[in-house]
Structure formats: C-alpha cells, structure tokens
Amino acid sequence: MSTASGDPTTGTADFSATPLADTFFPEEWESGQESVRGEYATEANATEGATGGATAGGTAGGTAGGTERAAEQRQAAAAAGPAHRPTRGRYRGTSGGYELILRVDVDSVPGGPKVLRKVSGDFFSTGGGTQAYFGSFIVDAPTVSRTGTQVVIRGIASYTWQTAYTLVRVTVPRSRTNQRPGAATVEFLRPPRQLGATYVCPYVSPYFRTVEWEQDSVAGAVPFLSYDTGSLPQPANSPARILTVPGAYAETGIELLVSGTANVIANNQNGWTNTELHGAMETNFSLWRNAPQWKMWLLVAGSYEGMAGVRGIMFDAADTFQRQGCAVFYDLIQGAGPEEQRAMLRTYVHEIGHAFNLLHSWQKNLATPPAPLGGNNGFADLSWMNYPQNYQPLNGNGGAAAYWGAFPFQFTDNEQLHLRHGFYRNVVMGANAFATGAADIEPALFDEPLTDESGLRLGLRADKSALAFGEPAVVELKLETTDLRGRATHNHLHPDDELVSIAIRQPSGRTVLYRPLLRRCVDQDQTVRLDANRPAIYSSAYIGYGRDGHYFQQPGTYQLRAAYLASDGSRIVSPVLRLDVRHPVSEADLRLGELMMGEEQGKILALRGSDSPALQSGNDALQEVIERHGTHPFAVYARLAKGLNFEHEFKSLSPDKTELTVRPPDPKSGIEQLAQVVKVSQQGKGVDNLTLNLASRRLARAYARQGDLEEANSTLDRLVRHFDTPAFKPYVKDAVRDQADSTKARLTEEFGGG
C-alpha cells in the first residue's frame, strides 16, 4: 500500500504517494479498442455451469464426448446468431482521483484459459502527471447472475488495507461478438447497503495482465521459437497446438508483448557468472530501471560458469528491485529435435515464471505468506514450475518420462491464481522481493517427520562451535544412507540448488530461512546411489549472507536446521545445530568485524569474488583486511574471494551491446592469494576441508595458466596427501584422489604437458 491517505472504495483521496514508475499502457488501450489475439477471438456462449470445468489447455471436459457437445453448442449458436462475449478480461476506470485496474474472471473462452471464478483489482492514486500504487483487492467466491442484457457479480473482497466497504458489485452489459464490449460498473458497498465509490471501467483487453518482454541473445545462440505439443506423446486432455513462450502465458491469461529488437551481443566460451549476468542486464536491458514495472529481460546466454546442469537462472534476486531479469543457457538446452525444443520451452517459461514471483513446486510453503504444497511435498505437481526429473505422483512411477506423459503444458490452478489475481506488488517485476517479504517461517516448519522410512539421514555441522563477530558462517551438509541395501536420490545438496533449505533461529527468537543471493535452476537429473561403497555425499555452503542481508550480525546463540527433499518426495530433516557468535572484546575486533559485515562484502563473499564497479567499496574493505590484518583468521576468507576472482576472467558488456570486455585471468595474483588460503587451511587454521578442496584445484589451475604444470600437479598431490589420513573415510579419500586425477588430466589437455 502507498503512503496516500483516503480510501478509493469511498472516493476520498489525499495525494502524497510516491509516483509509480510504470504508466505504460499499450496503444490499443487508449483508443478503447479491443485487444484480441489468437485463441481469445473464439466465440463463446456456454453457460457458467458448462464452462466451469474447462482446462487451461482449452478443453471443457477433457473427453471426446465433451468435445462433441461443445461443437454442437457452437453450431447451435451459429444458427441463432452471434454469441455473447464471455465476461472476462481487464477493464480500467477512474473515480475521485483513483484509477482502478479491474480483472473479471467468471467466464471461460473455448480454446482459452480456465475460468477461476475470481474478481480482482489494483488501485492507483493519480495526481497531475504522476501515478502511485495504493492497494489491491480480490473477491474469492463471487456469485454470478445473468440476464439477457447484463451479468452481475457480487462478493466480499479481501484488501491490502483496512476498509469498511467490503462488498463489491460488478455489473457488465452483455454484448455480442460482433459488438464492442461494454464498460463494467464497479460499486463498493459498506454492509448492508451503503454505497461508496463507483467506477465505470471501459474494457481494455482479454488478458488479465500485460508484460513487456525484452530478449537478447549471445552470438551463436538460436533463441527458442515454438514447439508443436503433438510431436511427442502427451496426455489425452491436452490438445495438440503450436506453443511459443508468449503463447504458453496467453493460455493462462497473461500477455507477453515482445519489446523492441532481439539484440545479439558478444559471448564468451568460458560461461557467465552471476554478477556478470546482473551487469549485462543493467547495461543491455533498454527498458530497465530500478522501479516496479511490468517489464522483464531474458538473456539467451552460452553457459553458466560454476556448475554443470544449470539450464536457467532468475538472477535478479539480490537488490531492492528484484525479479527483472533471467537467463537461459543455450549450450545445455540447444537442439533442433522435438525433445530438445520441448525442454527449451519449459526452461524459458519456468525462468520467466520466477520473474512473476512463482516458486518451485516444492518451495511454495516457504513463501510469505506460505502457499499450500501439492502432493508429495509438491513433487506431484504437473506444472511448468516443477522439474521433470523430480516429478513423483502419488501413485505410479515418477521421473521425466512420467512427467512429460502427463504434463498438459500449464500452470497449476494456484499458480494461475497468482499470475492473474495476485496482489500487484507480489507479482509486478521490481516490487516485492522473490518469495515476497523477509521469508519469516514458523519454527515448527522443520519439525521431524512423524515417521521416516526414507533410508536417508541428513547431517549439518560447522567446523567451529563459535564464530567471532563478523566471521563468515560456513556449514557442511552430509547426506548418508541408513539402508544397507542402498538408496538412490539426487545429489543437489547445496542450498543454492533449492532442494535443501536451512532455517536459522536467531538470538532474538525470530526464525528465518536462508535464501541464496542468486538462485539457480539445476533441472538436470543427477542421481546418486548411496550404498556401502559410497555411503554419503557432502556439500559446503557459505550461509552468512543472502537475499535478506547478513543472517549472523547479532552476537548470541543461533539454532540451525536443514531439510532435504529427496527424489521420492521424502523430507529429510537434520538435527539442530547450535552456533554461537561471540561479542567483540576490543575496539580492534569491532572494527575488523565491521570490515567483514558490509552489504557489499557479503555479496562478494557469496559470489566468490566480483569485479563489479557497484561492489568496489566491498572489495576495498576486503583488501584492507588482507593488507592490515593479513595474519588474522578473517584474512583467509578475503583472500579466498579475491583469489578465486583473480583466477578466472571477468566479462562485462559495452553499452552499445556490441563488445564484450574480458578482463583476462590474473594467475599471479590468484596464486598470491590462494596459496595462502591453502597453506593455512592445511594447517587447520583456515577454511573447511570441502572449501580447501576447491581452493587447491583452483590454485593448481592458476599455476597451469602461468605455465607451471609441474607445480600445478604438486599442488594436487599435496591435496591428496592432506586427505590421506585416518581422519577421513576410505570413500572420501578415493573421491578426492579421483578429483585430483581428473583435474590433472584437464589441465594437461588445456595447457599442455610436453
């Protein structure tokens, strides 16, 4: 809700709100002309009862008999003359200094989106040449009455603010398909009959919301165009049709207007990092500004640097104005065959869904407020927002083949409700943060299951039981089998992959969810079998900083608990981990902690380094830690971020989108920093063993870049010796040895070995 006083349901107004950035309306809105495209031009005359079961794919009953009855109805309607227009779509009107965007969703359209039986709206206060958002409402269960001349919709509304005028009455004149649609009259009443504000809202569009979509691609990438859903087996109740990305959203009532020219920008074969993607958006998204607006950007990039299997990412989830940009990675999803084209369509729709603030199917209960999960903790959802390999129905076999065999290319009803009728700030790009709000969760969210026959156990530990004020918080996750026969599951154990969640109970008593700074969609099947030969897998995660800022900035005792969603939908919960943050005992401790606790420093540590000019002061602070406090334990974390960043190049795009500036790797500086990280860590005074493994392999790569392949191999040999002690299980030693050998082979192939 804005800062404007008054109440648009009564007609009083006092304009002191912050101006709204997005006042874009398509040209046809201003002329009052209907904006009908594709399937929305289909005639309709079905009654409310007959249309209530229509699917998002456009079938009325999902059976051959239903199709025949619909055809008979259309023939009868044609004989009787033009049919009535369906009562649905978007309307807009003004009254008393307020503008109302109204969405009416009580009739279905043959071949169009499913009817959800809702009425919703957004209010904007207007003054002079400015406009500001005031609030939103929704009528969840309206009653609908029809006569030959009008449709009347009545119901009790829920608002984003307190008002006494809770009754809403919408009257829409009935018009024929050969007539222009009439204006909707919206009345707000205080029970039982006191009339408040009235808005006359001319018809705007058959779409409930319209978004400008700008898409760029790197050189050599071919953006997705369309997929014929009938080219591969699909469920019987999903009609074969040609689906584009805008077409997939049109089927749920959302219009994606392709904006401007699809620019081709320079690429780099070494992949894109998170910070590079965000920088590319700010440079190349011509419609971009840090403000709420119905505009989004998608980059068809080459590949993602840092992890195999990442098909796409909604990377804009760190600053105040989130959800404006996403990317898909062409190198992984490319292909001209029907299976590849189908997967490309899903990846595009999935990532754009995140920009609309839709979470993964198994994460909806972590939103604020929480949304209900589908069956099997959400894995049973047939949705664009599920992973095909994660699909696990309540009965029968799961996996990608089962998903595609049953998927009707649609969002779930709850997702469609969000897209069409979600409150403005929860949906519009650049407004509420991804997952909306601060991710407050109930402490009981991660309570242990009443029964657990999963055959899996999750561990959560930290190298230290207490952290100094400002010290980065790093935890280790361990997933092991308790079944001697072995269990198969996915190996996405890092919380950035969003199949593991970590709850943090802070000293204040508030429980929050760790939310990664930049979430990624690793929707590639990576199954691991845990058995006697390999009883456990491990992951290390820095959780000190995320989308809500620093999580451990207050001295005191923290309680942490992790939850892992297995491939079969089982939820595995770790024991509670207690972690203390000590009070600074001197002015020097306080100053050093402050050097580590800045917002920019947190982002750099989470991103493992960055050249972004926007993070320059953070880099300066970490450099001060290295130069003035080089022997302090905190310096190892600053060196790690700096060293990893120096070891690889950093890419940035020119403002004209034609040149890619690549800061080449600086192996000398990388070695200077990473060698110190490895040295003190092998002495037990630095980073955890999993991070030591990473740092050692990147240090070896820096030596190889510099032409010293012998020292690169020696670095990897020392890594193997560090783990070759009785403190580590045999399968851990074998895994480290295999990693070291494969790294040697790659470095020899890339940099030569004589």
Side-chain angles (χ1 to χ4, degrees), residues 44-67:
N45 72 330
T47 64
E48 181 180 4
T51 60
T55 68
T59 60
T63 64
T67 303

Side-chain angles (χ1 to χ4, degrees), residues 128-162:
T130 63
Q131 188 180 65
Y133 171 65
F134 183 91
S136 301
F137 74 91
I138 184 171
V139 179
D140 280 309
T143 60
V144 183
S145 59
R146 293 176 173 83
T147 69
T149 59
Q150 66 181 20
V151 177
V152 180
I153 308 161
R154 301 177 178 87
I156 299 175
S158 299
Y159 294 86
T160 57
W161 75 98
Q162 295 295 322

Side-chain angles (χ1 to χ4, degrees), residues 670-693:
I671 291 170
E672 180 183 355
Q673 302 300 340
L674 292 176
Q676 288 295 315
V677 173
V678 170
K679 178 181 177 180
V680 299
S681 299
Q682 288 179 339
Q683 295 171 352
K685 302 176 183 178
V687 297
D688 63 280
N689 282 310
L690 292 173
T691 305
L692 169 61
N693 187 348

Side-chain angles (χ1 to χ4, degrees), residues 62-118:
T63 64
T67 303
E68 292 172 0
R69 286 193 297 273
E72 292 172 358
Q73 289 174 348
R74 287 194 293 270
Q75 291 173 357
H84 282 113
R85 289 184 176 276
T87 307
R88 66 181 291 110
R90 187 167 70 240
Y91 300 75
R92 187 183 73 199
T94 59
S95 177
Y98 290 97
E99 180 175 79
L100 169 62
I101 304 296
L102 176 73
R103 294 175 292 273
V104 178
D105 188 1
V106 298
D107 273 349
S108 66
V109 181
K114 177 180 181 178
V115 61
L116 296 183
R117 291 181 56 83
K118 309 288 181 186

Side-chain angles (χ1 to χ4, degrees), residues 321-650:
F321 303 94
Q322 299 181 12
R323 302 184 287 104
Q324 299 184 82
C326 56
V328 297
F329 298 109
Y330 181 73
D331 291 356
L332 190 61
I333 66 175
Q334 65 177 309
E339 290 187 355
E340 291 83 3
Q341 291 290 301
R342 181 179 65 182
M344 287 178 71
L345 170 64
R346 196 207 68 82
T347 300
Y348 277 65
V349 175
H350 180 101
E351 297 306 331
I352 291 174
H354 286 315
F356 277 103
N357 217 356
L358 288 174
L359 278 72
H360 287 130
S361 297
W362 61 91
Q363 291 182 305
K364 291 182 169 57
N365 62 321
L366 302 182
T368 305
L373 286 174
N376 272 346
N377 282 318
F379 283 172
D381 278 1
L382 286 166
S383 166
W384 295 107
M385 303 311 296
N386 203 353
Y387 288 171
Q389 75 275 7
N390 282 3
Y391 175 62
Q392 196 63 236
L394 296 175
N395 297 298
N397 296 325
Y403 171 87
W404 289 117
F407 180 51
F409 299 92
Q410 66 182 24
F411 291 99
T412 65
D413 286 356
N414 282 337
E415 290 164 348
Q416 293 188 57
L417 178 62
H418 172 85
L419 290 168
R420 298 184 198 176
H421 302 291
F423 292 152
Y424 172 82
R425 292 192 60 83
N426 291 345
V427 187
V428 67
M429 297 80 205
N432 282 349
F434 185 58
T436 60
D440 280 336
I441 62 171
E442 293 298 325
L445 178 65
F446 289 168
D447 276 357
E448 295 183 21
L450 296 178
T451 61
D452 185 355
E453 299 178 357
S454 66
L456 298 170
R457 180 165 55 219
L458 181 66
L460 182 68
R461 63 177 294 273
D463 268 2
K464 304 175 182 179
S465 60
L467 301 176
F469 176 72
E471 185 172 1
V474 179
V475 295
E476 178 186 288
L477 296 109
K478 175 184 179 182
L479 182 71
E480 60 185 326
T481 182
T482 60
D483 189 339
L484 296 178
R485 298 168 297 179
R487 290 295 174 105
T489 187
H490 64 82
N491 67 350
H492 300 305
L493 197 55
H494 197 285
D496 283 7
D497 301 336
E498 302 200 315
L499 288 162
V500 168
S501 303
I502 298 178
I504 305 168
R505 188 177 182 89
Q506 298 172 327
S508 64
R510 182 187 182 209
T511 303
V512 298
L513 185 72
Y514 165 71
R515 301 196 302 161
L517 186 63
L518 294 167
R519 45 150 311 281
R520 59 197 182 201
C521 289
V522 190
D523 57 351
Q524 189 175 59
D525 190 9
Q526 294 189 15
T527 300
V528 60
R529 182 164 183 81
L530 302 179
D531 52 27
N533 294 322
R534 188 187 187 184
I537 56 174
Y538 299 83
S539 183
S540 174
Y542 166 62
I543 61 169
Y545 187 90
R547 274 180 265 160
D548 305 303
H550 287 279
Y551 294 101
F552 297 86
Q553 58 185 344
Q554 175 186 358
T557 299
Y558 292 76
Q559 297 181 55
L560 286 70
R561 198 166 207 180
Y564 166 91
L565 279 179
S567 295
D568 64 355
S570 299
R571 185 171 62 94
I572 319 302
V573 178
S574 75
V576 173
L577 169 66
R578 291 174 59 91
L579 189 61
D580 292 326
V581 175
R582 296 191 297 266
H583 289 266
V585 297
S586 67
E587 190 66 28
D589 287 344
L590 180 61
R591 170 59 182 159
L592 193 55
E594 290 173 344
L595 281 174
M596 298 292 291
M597 292 285 283
E599 292 297 307
E600 293 183 15
Q601 295 91 304
K603 290 180 181 179
I604 291 170
L605 292 171
L607 297 171
R608 292 178 176 171
S610 174
D611 276 10
S612 172
L615 301 178
Q616 185 59 51
S617 64
N619 271 316
D620 291 344
L622 294 180
Q623 187 63 32
E624 182 178 345
V625 172
I626 293 172
E627 292 177 354
R628 299 185 59 184
H629 309 278
T631 60
H632 193 279
F634 286 7
V636 71
Y637 300 101
R639 293 185 188 278
L640 177 67
K642 291 275 190 178
L644 293 176
N645 190 51
F646 283 134
E647 192 276 323
H648 68 78
E649 75 266 349
F650 189 89

Side-chain angles (χ1 to χ4, degrees), residues 215 217-225 300-301 330 333-335 341 344 348:
Q215 176 180 269
S217 60
V218 299
V222 181
F224 171 80
L225 294 177
V300 185
Y330 181 73
I333 66 175
Q334 65 177 309
Q341 291 290 301
M344 287 178 71
Y348 277 65

